Amino acid sequence: MTTSRRIQFGVFFQGVNFGTIWSSDRSGSQYDFESFRRIAQTAERGLFSAFFLGEGLRLREHFGRIHELDIAGRPDAQTQLAALASVTERIGLVATQNTTYNDPYDLAKRLNSLDLLSEGRAGWNIVTTDNAWTGANFRRGGYLEHADRYRRAAQFVVAAQRLWDAGADGVGTPVSVADQLVSFEGPAPLPPSAQGRPVLFQAGDSDEGREFAASSADVIFSAHPGLEDAISFAADLRRRLPAHGRAVDELKFFPGAQFILAATDSEAREKADWVTRAQVSPQTAIRFLEPIWGRDLSEYDANGPLPDIDPVVEEVDGQRGSLFQGRRALETAREWRDSAAAEGLSIREFVIKRSSLRTFVGGYSSIADRIVQYVDAGAVDGFNVSPYLVPEGLDDIVDGLIPELQERGVYPTEYVGSTLRENLGLPALGERAEFAA
C-alpha cells in the first residue's frame, strides 16, 4: 500500500487529437523544439516527475485521407527527448515505444542510450498493437495475432531487461534470447545508467493489460481519474502484484487528467466553456462520430441530434480508430443516441460531455482540496497532465495549484534525487523483486 502522503505530476504531451487546442493564436507548433522545450522546462520548474511523449507509428487517416482537422505528424519521440535532456536537469523523459514493430536489441540499446545521456532520467512507455494498417509501414502488417501482442510484449521486456542487466556485468557480455516470439544473440552494448535501467510505464486497461502491468511495469498510466474509480483500479492492480513476486508499493499509479484552473471556481467554469468549445468544434464533433458510423456524416448539423441511421457494419483496418476497435458499432451508436436524447444533447454537446470526463475544473484552492482527498485515500501517486494548450498549458498548475498543494504538505518542495526512479519514489533495483520470467 502506498504510504507516502505526497502527490506528483507528470506531463503527457499527446498532441495528435483534439484534447490539445492547436487553432488558437496562443497555440505553438507541434514540430518546433521551442514548444517541447517550454513545456518541459515549465514542468521542471513545477517539480514534475516526468515529461511523457506519445508516439504514433502512422499518420492518422480518415476515410483514406490524412486526418488534418487538428494536426498531422510530429518528430520522433526519442530524438525529441534526447534534445530535451540537454536543456533540463531533473525531470524524467518518457518515450512511448511499441513492442510489436520494434526489435528488442535495437530498442533496448536506444533506451539505454537515452538513460545514459540524461544521467538516469529515461522511461519507456510500453505499448502494443496488432493491426495491419499500422504495420504496413514496417513490411510486417498484421504479422502478430491479437492474442499474442501481450505475449510478445512480456518476452520483449524480459529480453530488454536481460540486455540491460548484462551491461552491468561489462560491455560486451554475451546475451542470447530464444523465446517463441522474441529471439536474438548479441553483446551488451552499453553500461547501465545511474538508475540501473529505464523506468517502465504501461497503460493497458484490459485484463491482459492489467496482468502485464502487474508483472512488468513500475508505473501505470491509467484512464481512471475519478476518485472511486481510481481507488477500485488501484485495489485491483495491487491484488495482482503478489502473484508476480512483487510488493504492493512497487507499482505507481498516474491516471491521465486535464486541469482547467483559475483564481475562483466561477472563473474556472468560464474558462472550461471556452476550452471545451475550442477543443470540440462542430467539424470535430462530426468527425468524432464518423468512425463509429463508418460513413461521411457531414450533412448532419453538429447542433442537432445524433444521426438516426445505423452504422455501416464491416471489418475495417486501424484507421477507423481506437473508439471503434473491438466494439460493436450498432450497439455503440444506439447507446450514444439514446444517451444524448435522454439528456437533450446535440451532437457537439454530447461529444463535449464524453471528452470532459477526465477534467478537473475549479479554483486553485478547491482543486487542491480535491487532490488531498486522493492522497488521503491512497488512490493515486500522481496525475499525468495533458495540457489543453501548448506551450502555456502548465502555467496555471505550476504558478497557481502547486503552491496550494505545497501549503497543504502534499506536494514536494524539491526534487528528492537526480534520477527518475528516485523522484518517483520507486525502490532501487537491488531492493525489489526481479522480473517474473
Side-chain angles (χ1 to χ4, degrees):
M1 182 73 183
T2 298
T3 56
S4 172
R5 194 173 184 274
R6 188 179 70 162
I7 199 82
Q8 298 185 68
F9 288 125
V11 54
F12 178 31
F13 194 130
Q14 48 182 338
V16 288
N17 59 48
F18 62 80
T20 306
I21 301 166
W22 295 104
S23 58
S24 169
D25 56 9
R26 294 155 57 190
S27 302
S29 162
Q30 81 271 22
Y31 303 121
D32 292 347
F33 180 65
E34 176 62 15
S35 298
F36 302 94
R37 181 200 63 77
R38 182 172 166 191
I39 282 278
Q41 290 185 338
T42 301
E44 190 167 66
R45 181 165 61 84
L47 304 175
F48 279 41
S49 55
F51 178 93
F52 187 109
L53 272 177
E55 178 79 300
L57 296 181
R58 179 166 174 162
L59 293 178
R60 288 187 303 160
E61 294 179 16
H62 191 74
F63 297 139
R65 299 184 299 276
I66 298 299
H67 182 91
E68 293 185 305
L69 191 56
D70 34 64
I71 57 170
R74 195 172 60 192
D76 168 73
Q78 283 187 262
T79 304
Q80 292 179 66
L81 294 175
L84 289 173
S86 68
V87 296
T88 55
E89 296 181 351
R90 295 295 184 90
I91 192 168
L93 304 166
V94 184
T96 297
Q97 296 290 298
N98 196 295
T99 59
T100 304
Y101 296 117
N102 277 294
D103 289 312
Y105 186 94
D106 173 62
L107 181 57
K109 179 184 177 182
R110 286 188 279 121
L111 290 166
N112 200 162
S113 301
L114 179 63
D115 211 17
L116 283 167
L117 293 173
S118 64
E119 300 180 312
R121 293 188 284 139
W124 172 21
N125 177 38
I126 306 160
V127 296
T128 69
T129 189
D130 62 343
N131 71 70
W133 176 75
T134 299
N137 280 5
F138 299 89
R139 297 185 299 168
R140 292 184 292 169
Y143 85 98
L144 190 67
E145 294 293 331
H146 181 81
D148 286 336
R149 59 189 184 127
Y150 277 117
R151 286 183 62 219
R152 175 175 163 84
Q155 293 174 18
F156 194 118
V157 171
V158 171
Q161 170 83 1
R162 288 186 58 188
L163 199 65
W164 294 329
D165 286 349
D169 295 330
V171 172
T173 301
V175 176
S176 178
V177 175
D179 285 322
Q180 185 177 5
L181 299 174
V182 170
S183 63
F184 68 84
E185 290 187 3
L190 293 167
S193 74
Q195 65 174 352
R197 60 158 174 78
V199 173
L200 303 180
F201 288 66
Q202 209 270 330
D205 199 25
S206 64
D207 184 68
E208 280 183 300
R210 294 184 186 202
E211 201 62 31
F212 177 57
S215 70
S216 304
D218 299 305
V219 182
I220 188 159
F221 172 26
S222 82
H224 301 275
L227 180 57
E228 296 304 319
D229 199 17
I231 292 172
S232 174
F233 180 77
D236 178 67
L237 265 295
R238 287 173 179 141
R239 188 165 51 245
R240 297 171 189 251
L241 289 168
H244 298 280
R246 305 184 67 192
V248 294
D249 62 351
E250 288 187 14
L251 182 62
K252 302 295 183 184
F253 296 86
F254 275 66
Q258 195 159 72
F259 289 76
I260 302 176
L261 306 169
T264 66
D265 289 347
S266 61
E267 289 176 32
R269 286 193 294 271
E270 288 180 15
K271 184 184 288 188
D273 185 63
W274 175 82
V275 169
T276 52
R277 291 193 172 275
Q279 290 171 323
V280 185
S281 68
Q283 295 80 10
T284 299
I286 295 294
R287 288 284 180 90
F288 186 88
L289 300 189
E290 286 178 340
I292 298 297
W293 264 260
R295 52 158 290 179
D296 185 338
L297 299 174
S298 58
E299 74 269 26
Y300 285 85
D301 180 0
N303 295 313
L306 271 66
D308 57 359
I309 58 173
D310 283 333
V312 175
V313 179
E314 59 181 9
E315 283 299 318
V316 294
D317 57 29
Q319 67 174 293
R320 204 161 162 179
S322 58
L323 272 175
F324 177 80
Q325 301 303 315
R327 292 189 178 224
R328 295 172 297 178
L330 277 172
E331 285 79 358
T332 300
R334 289 169 184 166
E335 174 193 331
W336 287 10
R337 190 162 48 219
D338 292 347
S339 175
E343 297 185 62
L345 301 177
S346 67
I347 291 174
R348 191 180 184 192
E349 291 168 335
F350 175 77
V351 175
I352 287 174
K353 182 176 181 181
R354 280 192 63 86
S355 57
S356 301
L357 296 178
R358 294 193 293 165
T359 298
F360 289 83
V361 178
Y364 302 125
S365 179
S366 59
I367 294 300
D369 288 340
R370 282 182 62 191
I371 290 177
V372 169
Q373 294 175 355
Y374 284 79
V375 176
D376 290 340
V380 303
D381 297 283
F383 289 99
N384 213 11
V385 179
S386 296
Y388 57 83
L389 268 178
V390 171
E392 66 180 67
L394 297 182
D395 294 357
D396 285 342
I397 295 175
V398 172
D399 298 325
L401 178 60
I402 286 177
E404 293 276 353
L405 293 171
Q406 289 171 329
E407 285 184 9
R408 289 161 175 76
V410 297
Y411 195 85
T413 55
E414 61 181 1
Y415 282 108
V416 299
S418 61
T419 70
L420 176 57
R421 183 171 300 280
E422 290 171 327
N423 288 320
L424 285 169
L426 289 165
L429 291 181
E431 298 173 2
R432 53 159 291 173
E434 295 298 323
F435 276 78

